[in-house]
Structure formats: C-alpha cells, structure tokens
Amino acid sequence: MTDEENGRDPHRGPSPGQTPREWFAGLLRAHIEERGGGSYEELVVATEQAHLRVAKSTLGDALSGKRTPRLETVQNLVTALHHRQGLPGRPELRDWERDYEHLLDLQSDRRTGTRSAADARAASEGRTWPRRFGPLPEPAHSFLARPALRVPPGPGRFLLTGAGGVGKTQTAAEHVRECLLAGDLDLVVWVTATTREDIVAGLAEAAAELTGSTGPNAELTAARLERWLAGTRRTWCVVLDDLTRPQDLEGLWPPHSTNGVTLVTTRRQDAALQARGTVIDLTLFDAHESLAYLTSRLGTHHTPPEALANLADDLGHLPLALAQAATFLLDNEMSPAEYRTRLAREGARLADLVPDGALPDGYPLPLSAAWTLSVRRADELRPSGVAGPVMHVLSLLDGTGVPGELLATPALSALAPHPSEAAARDEVHDAVHNLRRLSLLSVDTTATTTPRAAPDAGAGPVGALAGKAIRIHSLTQHATRDLLNPPERRAAAGSAAQALVEGWRAPQLPARLDRALRANAFALAGHAQDELLTPVPHPVLYRMGHSLGDSGQASAALRHFRRLREVVDARFAPDDEISLDTRGHLAWWQAKAGDPAGAARAYASLYADQDRLYSSDHPSLLQTRQSAAVWQGAAGDPHAAVTELKYLYELRISLGRAADRDTISNRNHLANFLSASGDHAGALALHEAAWREAEARLGPDHPDALRARSAAMHHRGELGDVASALAALRDLLEVQQIDDPEGLDTFATRARIADWTGREGDPAQAVALLGSLLVDRLRVIGPEHPHTLGTRMDLARWRTAAGEPARAATELTELLADEEELLGLDHPALPVTRAALADALEKIRHR
C-alpha cells in the first residue's frame, strides 16, 4: 500500500503546535497500527525475534516524540514489523530514510529561523539541511564507545592524536553521527587532510556551494569558507582527517566560533600543532575493552574469553589490529590460537595476516603499510635520513622501554652521517623526536632509570633522553622488521648490540639501567640471533648473561650460557677459541649457581683442552687453572686451593707479571684460602704487601689503597685486632660515600662494618646498621639480588645474637622460602639459612 493510498503525506510536516519529533513519532505510531499494533513489550519481542533488538526505553522515547531516534532504530523497528507479519524479503526503507532526512531538515530550520539566499537555492535544488560535504566513514564493525576519550560537546577545536589504528577517524565520525542524530548539527565538512591539495579541494567544494562564489583559484575559494563559517548562525563541524603535515593547514584553519567544532585527526604531535586546540590523546584499548570488542566480533560460543584475551595481548590491544585480525579470522575460519601461532612464527609478516581485499572499517591501508609510510615521512624531516635507521634499531629492541641513554652511545650516534660525534648525537636525538611527532613511538618521562651519561657522551641530548624510556608498539616494531632487507637487518642488529655493550660500560651503572639494558639485549637476541652469531658471537651475548647472573639470577644465567654453548658448538670446532671461551663462562655460572665442585671439574676439563693448544705460560691457560683451584677450594678443599694458587702465584712472579691484574687476583685468592685454612698470618702478609704497594703507587688516601688496607686489616681482625679492621673499613667508607654513595662496593663496606661491629660485641648496633643497609639495597639493586638476600640473612643472624630470636626466626623462614624460589633447592646459601634458623629456634626454646 502506498503513502497516497493510506492517506499518508510525510512531507506535509507538523501540524500547528506540533514539533518535528512529535510529527515523526506520529508516523511511527500510525505505521505500527497499520502493521497490527501492540504494546511496547510486544514490539520489543518482535525486534528480538528478528535479531534486531530495540530497547524498551529507546522505543518509548521514539514513539512519544521525547527524543530523536537513530535511523538504525527506525529501520530495525520497521523491519521487525515486516517479519512479524510473515512478509517475504526485506521491507522498502527508502521512504523512511527520506522522512528521517526531512525530520532533520525541519529540526534545523526550527533552530536557525530564516534562510540565506544560498540556503534557498540549495532547497530549490533539493539540497536540504543538515548539509554534508565529503564522505563520512561508515561506522566500524562493533564500534566500541570509550567514554573517557569522547569529544567534548563543544564548541571548540579538538585534536585527536595517537598512533595509527587507535581509532581517531572512527571517534571523530561517531561524534559527527551522534550530533546529526541529536539534531545538533546543520553542516558537516569532512576533508581528507593527507596533502595540501586534498585539504584545498575539500574546503573549496564546500565553500563554493555555501557561498555561491567560485573562481579559478581553488586556494582563494577554500579560504572563503573560513569567513562563511565565522558569520553563519548554523551549527557546523569541520573534520580534517589524517593531517600529515601541520603546515598544510596554514591559512585554511576553520575559525573559532560559538557555533562550530573543528576536529583534526592526526598522528603528529608537534607542539605548535597541539597549541592550536584541545588535545584528545587516543590510546590503546585496555584489556577489558579489547575483550569486549573481540567478543562482539567473534563471539564466545566457540572461542573462550581466555583465547580472545591472549589474542589481544599478542596484538598489543591496538584497536585496528584487533579489527583486521578479527576480519582475517572470520574470512579464513581460523581460531585465535592458530592466528597467534602464525603471528609468532619466525619470518611471519604482518602483511600476510590481514584480510585479502577490502579492509575492515574503511581503513585505506594495512597497518604495516601505514606505519611504513609514517617512518618514511619521519625520515624526510630534518635531519633527513636518520629516523629510518634509528627506527630499524628500535624495532629489534624491547618496545616496552628502550633506555634513553642508549641513544647517546657512540654506536647509535654513528647512525647520523655527521663527522662530529656531538652533532651526530644531536641528530639522533632529533630523529627520535621526529618519530614521536609521527606517533610511531613515545618518550616516557616517568621512567625510573637514573640519568647517567653514556661513555664519552658529553653534553647535549644525553641530558634530554637520559632517565627516560622510549616505548614502541610491538606491531609497529614487527612491521618495521618485516621490511628490513638482510644488509639492513645486519647493520641494525650490529648497531643495537654494540650500543648495549657500550651502555654497560657506563661507570657506576645503576641497577635499574642494568635491568633495562638486559631486557633490551634479550629482545635483540630473540629478533636477530643469526646476525649476532655471524661471523662470530657478538660480546653482547656474553654480557647479557653476566648481567642476568649478577642481578641475582644465577640459575637463569647458567641456562643462558648452556644454550649459548649449544649454539656455539653447532657452529664452531671444539678447539676454536670461541668454543673454549664459552665453556669458561659456563663454568663460572655453574659455580655461582651453587655447584662449585662441578665448576672445578669443568675448569679442569677446559684446562686439559687448552693445555694441548696453548703454551705453558699462556695467560688464558693460567687463568683457567686458577679458576679450577678457586672453585675446588670453595667446594670444601681450601688446602688444595692454597697449594695450587701458591704455585701459580710464584710462576707468574717468575714470568715478570707481578703487576698484572691476573697476578693480583691470584694473590687475593691465595690470601683468602690461607685464611680459610686457618693461616691468618700468612694471609695478612700477602694483603699487607698489596696494601704497601698500592700506597706507594697511588698514595695512602686513594680508594684502591684504602681497599687494600681494608683487606689486610680484615686478617688483623681475624687475629684479634678488631679495632684495626673497623678503623680501616670506616676510612674506606668515608671516601666511598663521597665518590659513590649507592655503589655496590660502598654497600659491601657497610656490610663488613656491621659484621665487625657485631663481632666486637655490639649486636644491637649491627642490627641497626644492617637494617639501614637492607632498605638501601632493596631500593637500589632490588629484592632478588644475592647481596640483598645476604643482608637479610646477616640481619636475622645478628637479631638472634641481640636477643630477638622470635623475630629472627620469622625473617629466616621468609628468607628460606625466597631463596628456594630464586636460587634453587641446591644452592649453598640454603644450608646456611637453615642453620641460622635452627639456631634462632634453639634460642627460643631455651628462653
């Protein structure tokens, strides 16, 4: 039945005293009666049966004329009534769309009153308000509203910033749609802003029609829009989507107006651009938002929420990545687990894991291509040609936090082709911020890394980036790595590895920076293992393992070197120096992980192989023999260690190597094992000789001379002269507190002072000193470090001696559990802790 047949004349408009909403609500009520009528509850059931649910409150507002319904609500209701009558196919909705457009037109006229000549001409030509210029993007599938990131109601100028794929365009489009549905907008101008030409063309089209004035110069025509917008009483919104170059808007910015809103979506974060309006920084989804989005797209009938959450984690909670992955899964009937496996597979390319053909939500490019284009644009900014190589390096590192200090190392300064190293550092610094301006990375100013200059770093950008963390989305890194050709990948891996080694050479390296360097080294090894092993293993592979062990994770360091040895053995001959050297590193961490006897055997085996290849006085051969002796002594045979170390010491002296570091180390170990064997006098003689040598060479107040004196006085303390031991340690501490108050050596001296204070007969003061030291070690080196665990052990032991066995027992019980978890059940620290706990419990029983 046609509108004429049922007496309906939708364009007649409201009756006198009737609002446009009331008129449209009457059309809806008449249509419902024509299709069989029904209560609100019955109508809701009808929409549910058609799988087009309309909420009861929404239906009530629409049929009462209280609010303007969404067009989708109208379409769903008409379609549900069509199905309820059992009619085939879908209902004809074009008349309803025209009625709805007429409703919006009537609402606009009601707000603004009179029309201009251009309005009258547009109306005569069938162009009604609200007016639209440029294609408004289609709504995203399962668009997820984010209340905290909504555009304010305006008026104003708002900059929607963020990385590619966070939803800037869709957020702007949803804002426009909501305003249109609410009847709050008369004019929408949507302009693609990737080039100046696109901006001019979009603005000129709107200006020509709205002002009725055109001319041969498109720039001048576009500029007229600003004057029209400033003078109109109509409400307007101009969207400049994907602004690539802020300078492209010079002379074309829409005006500030009480009737208008300007939305700019852009990846650019230039300070001058952000000063133009209110910044709305769109971020990644949080875990709940990601799960809600994937659930709406994929459902949970065959996909449990845990699988969706894992997929979101792998995709870094980037909205567009989730959209493209969801479409790919649906198109290919693939499970999230299968997609994750493909994504993690070595050599997997992001370009192969997006839908084939049309992309979801109208996005013009796969994410990988969009990011590549952004890197290219950053590379074109001054200093030209530097941002690309910097991004190549960053793509191989830990995207959750690359320490800013790394960017000032000589290895990364070399990425800028400037003959002056200081100027090159400036250019690398600027390139990082060019990448930030394109939203390819962020510079986190809240990072806790202690600012320290890299070796030979000097002044300049070190001060700007030191102590900060550079963060890059994992998929941005993935897309960058995908496009690296073999030479680029080798160059980037080499620069990254060398920069890490140079970062570790920084004096007085804080534990926080050490952790950051280690995390980045392991990320690099995961992305570029072959490059780090060819032609020979890069030193970073060894340095990262030692950093891991030195942080307190000796068992993890042992596993690292075992894996490294397997890789080295597969590539190099057993007698190759690289293979032999790797065995030495492995043996060291075997000892530190709690197996000194096994380490002694490993060093003895290594010595036997080196003995076939090296001369009898080769430094590496002698050092391996020394290590075998040291760990034999640590395993419980100090007398054998003394015999071997004495032979090696005398041999080194006879070879004229008295001043060599290896000889000095040999003497220190010999003195320590003499002491362990009960020969404190012999140990004192060796350390006093070392002290006198250091004094003669460096002066009595030099830190190294003070350390040597402290070592000598330790043995005097063992022989009964505790006052001399304490005096030497306090003199040493005075200098260390000035030079490096939070250094590991300074903390070690404080620990020794506390121990000798307790041994002198003041356990309560020892407890006070160790309590303060524990606070500092927890803050600086963390709870897992062996020195921190040792401090907890010493503190509890002296608590027992000071008359607090119950508290000591509690602390030792907690310490024992932590040591079992962190060090392993076979670590030699555990029996010591158990003995201290038994002593505390015995004291409790006898109180």
Side-chain angles (χ1 to χ4, degrees):
M1 183 180 295
T2 66
D3 291 331
E4 289 76 9
E5 289 172 335
N6 64 25
R8 173 182 171 200
D9 182 8
H11 293 291
R12 180 184 59 203
S15 303
Q18 187 181 37
T19 67
R21 287 175 180 166
E22 291 169 345
W23 162 76
F24 190 80
L27 293 182
L28 284 174
R29 290 195 300 270
H31 184 74
I32 291 170
E33 289 300 320
E34 181 187 346
R35 294 293 187 270
S39 66
Y40 285 175
E41 287 79 8
E42 291 170 332
L43 295 174
V44 168
V45 170
T47 63
E48 288 177 340
Q49 290 174 343
H51 304 290
L52 298 167
R53 174 166 168 70
V54 175
K56 182 179 178 182
S57 59
T58 302
L59 193 60
D61 288 345
L63 296 181
S64 66
K66 183 179 179 181
R67 297 186 62 182
T68 302
R70 296 168 62 102
L71 178 58
E72 181 184 9
T73 299
V74 176
Q75 293 170 330
N76 287 349
L77 177 59
V78 172
T79 302
L81 293 171
H82 181 86
H83 289 318
R84 188 178 69 171
Q85 285 193 303
L87 298 175
R90 294 179 58 81
E92 178 56 57
L93 297 173
R94 282 179 297 180
D95 288 341
W96 281 106
E97 291 168 356
R98 285 196 296 269
D99 293 346
Y100 190 82
E101 183 176 342
H102 189 48
L103 166 66
L104 299 180
D105 190 24
L106 291 169
Q107 288 178 320
S108 175
D109 290 344
R110 191 180 184 90
R111 276 199 313 275
T112 58
T114 60
R115 297 188 179 195
S116 66
D119 294 342
R121 184 173 60 254
S124 69
E125 296 172 358
R127 301 193 303 273
T128 59
W129 294 95
R131 306 278 289 283
R132 303 185 196 179
F133 297 91
L136 189 66
E138 290 294 318
H141 290 293
S142 305
F143 179 80
L144 187 69
R146 305 167 77 183
L149 297 176
R150 293 175 68 89
V151 177
R157 186 182 284 164
F158 304 99
L159 308 177
L160 279 63
T161 65
V166 293
K168 301 182 294 295
T169 297
Q170 282 295 333
T171 299
E174 185 67 10
H175 174 76
V176 171
R177 280 190 288 269
E178 287 180 353
C179 290
L180 286 171
L181 289 174
D184 295 334
L185 267 184
D186 297 321
L187 171 67
V188 177
V189 181
W190 188 285
V191 177
T192 299
T194 52
T195 67
R196 174 83 175 186
E197 292 75 16
D198 289 338
I199 296 170
V200 168
L203 296 180
E205 178 189 356
E209 184 169 323
L210 292 169
T211 66
S213 175
T214 60
N217 189 318
E219 291 259 357
L220 293 177
T221 302
R224 291 191 186 102
L225 181 63
E226 189 270 341
R227 293 190 293 275
W228 189 92
L229 293 173
T232 185
R233 288 187 298 165
R234 290 195 177 272
T235 56
W236 54 267
C237 178
V238 176
V239 181
L240 299 156
D241 186 37
D242 194 19
L243 179 65
T244 301
R245 291 164 24 103
Q247 58 267 40
D248 287 344
L249 271 178
E250 287 304 317
L252 298 174
W253 277 96
H256 289 288
S257 167
T258 56
N259 294 323
V261 171
T262 300
L263 300 181
V264 179
T265 73
T266 181
R267 302 181 194 185
R268 297 293 292 256
Q269 299 186 41
D270 307 63
L273 174 62
Q274 295 189 345
R276 291 276 194 168
T278 301
V279 176
I280 301 173
D281 187 19
L282 271 74
T283 56
L284 306 173
F285 281 162
D286 62 28
H288 297 295
E289 290 170 333
S290 293
L291 183 59
Y293 176 81
L294 289 175
T295 300
S296 68
R297 289 296 313 277
L298 301 175
T300 58
H301 181 62
H302 297 295
T303 307
E306 312 86 71
L308 297 180
N310 290 335
L311 175 62
D313 286 341
D314 286 357
L315 294 172
H317 301 278
L318 183 67
L320 189 58
L322 299 178
Q324 294 190 1
T327 303
F328 186 85
L329 294 177
L330 293 170
D331 288 348
N332 294 276
E333 298 183 351
M334 183 183 294
S335 72
E338 291 172 311
Y339 187 94
R340 294 179 64 215
T341 299
R342 287 198 188 186
L343 184 64
R345 187 176 298 152
E346 186 175 354
R349 295 172 59 86
L350 286 181
D352 298 330
L353 293 170
V354 297
D356 190 16
L359 295 172
D361 304 336
Y363 204 76
L365 294 171
L367 272 175
S368 54
W371 281 319
T372 301
L373 183 60
S374 293
V375 173
R376 190 176 304 131
R377 287 169 178 161
D379 208 38
E380 293 169 354
L381 298 174
R382 192 175 62 243
S384 177
V386 181
V390 169
M391 192 66 188
H392 293 172
V393 170
L394 294 177
S395 74
L396 300 174
L397 296 173
D398 178 16
T400 64
V402 178
E405 289 85 349
L406 212 58
L407 275 299
T409 58
L412 293 196
S413 297
L415 297 176
H418 200 289
S420 163
E421 186 174 329
R425 282 197 300 271
D426 288 343
E427 292 188 349
V428 169
H429 168 269
D430 293 348
V432 169
H433 283 284
N434 287 340
L435 293 165
R436 179 192 61 81
R437 288 163 65 189
L438 269 297
S439 296
L440 289 161
L441 56 80
S442 63
V443 179
D444 185 356
T445 59
T446 64
T448 57
T449 304
T450 303
R452 291 194 185 273
D456 305 320
V462 174
L465 288 177
K468 300 174 183 177
I470 297 160
R471 307 194 191 282
I472 316 140
H473 195 278
S474 59
L475 295 185
T476 308
Q477 291 182 294
H478 198 318
T480 303
R481 292 193 301 270
D482 283 352
L483 296 179
L484 295 180
N485 60 40
E488 288 173 334
R489 195 178 188 91
R490 285 194 297 271
S495 295
Q498 188 58 32
L500 288 164
V501 171
E502 291 167 356
W504 262 307
R505 290 175 187 161
Q508 304 170 7
L509 188 72
R512 291 182 294 274
L513 182 52
D514 178 55
R515 284 196 297 272
L517 293 172
R518 185 167 64 251
N520 278 271
F522 275 96
L524 175 63
H527 296 311
Q529 177 173 285
D530 288 343
E531 287 78 9
L532 295 180
L533 287 166
T534 306
V536 295
H538 195 282
V540 75
L541 293 171
Y542 298 89
R543 186 63 186 83
M544 61 199 275
H546 288 292
S547 170
L548 187 64
D550 290 339
S551 72
Q553 302 177 69
S555 297
L558 178 61
R559 291 193 296 271
H560 170 77
F561 280 106
R562 280 175 175 160
R563 289 193 296 268
L564 183 58
R565 181 182 175 183
E566 290 174 0
V567 174
V568 166
D569 285 351
R571 292 171 177 253
F572 299 92
D575 289 343
D576 190 288
E577 187 173 352
I578 291 172
S579 299
L580 298 173
D581 185 54
T582 304
R583 288 170 60 188
H585 290 284
L586 176 59
W588 170 262
W589 287 108
Q590 186 174 357
K592 300 296 283 185
D595 185 12
R601 292 191 296 271
Y603 275 119
S605 173
L606 176 60
Y607 173 78
D609 290 336
Q610 288 176 324
D611 193 35
R612 293 185 290 100
L613 304 170
Y614 300 154
S615 62
S616 59
D617 60 351
H618 192 283
S620 294
L621 184 66
L622 298 182
Q623 189 60 31
T624 300
R625 187 171 178 181
Q626 174 181 310
S627 296
V630 166
W631 294 115
Q632 183 180 10
D637 194 351
H639 296 287
V642 166
T643 301
E644 187 74 352
L645 290 169
K646 186 178 293 185
Y647 167 79
L648 288 171
Y649 182 59
E650 292 171 352
L651 174 60
R652 282 168 162 151
I653 296 295
S654 69
L655 293 171
R657 301 176 184 171
D660 287 1
R661 290 186 60 183
D662 289 347
T663 304
I664 295 171
S665 170
N666 190 153
R667 179 172 60 190
N668 288 337
H669 282 301
L670 175 57
N672 291 335
F673 280 111
L674 283 170
S675 178
S677 301
D679 186 1
H680 296 294
L684 175 60
L686 285 173
H687 273 141
E688 279 195 326
W691 168 30
R692 300 306 177 189
E693 290 172 11
E695 273 193 334
R697 187 174 71 257
L698 304 170
D701 296 327
H702 191 280
D704 288 349
L706 292 172
R707 288 188 189 91
R709 175 190 169 204
S710 173
M713 293 305 100
H714 169 80
H715 298 297
R716 282 197 179 178
E718 294 291 354
L719 291 168
D721 189 358
V722 176
S724 293
L726 274 170
L729 286 168
R730 287 168 178 155
D731 288 345
L732 174 60
L733 181 62
E734 185 176 346
V735 174
Q736 290 176 325
Q737 291 279 28
I738 296 172
D739 291 345
D740 187 14
E742 294 187 346
L744 296 184
D745 287 347
T746 306
F747 287 163
T749 301
R750 289 171 60 186
R752 288 194 290 272
I753 289 174
D755 185 61
W756 280 111
T757 299
R759 294 172 67 176
E760 192 180 31
D762 192 351
Q765 180 60 18
V767 168
L769 293 172
L770 287 168
S772 174
L773 175 60
L774 179 59
V775 170
D776 289 341
R777 275 181 162 163
L778 283 167
R779 175 175 53 83
V780 176
I781 61 178
E784 298 179 353
H785 197 284
H787 293 176
T788 304
L789 297 174
T791 304
R792 291 171 62 186
M793 166 66 196
D794 293 338
L795 177 58
R797 183 168 58 87
W798 284 115
R799 279 200 197 282
T800 300
E804 297 182 84
R807 183 173 178 181
T810 299
E811 292 177 355
L812 288 165
T813 301
E814 295 171 352
L815 174 61
L816 188 62
D818 291 342
E819 286 179 334
E820 289 176 348
E821 179 181 352
L822 296 171
L823 305 177
L825 297 177
D826 298 328
H827 197 278
L830 269 66
V832 178
T833 304
R834 293 190 186 103
L837 177 58
D839 182 53
L841 295 173
E842 183 69 18
K843 291 286 196 304
I844 293 171
R845 282 193 292 271
H846 286 84
R847 292 190 75 174

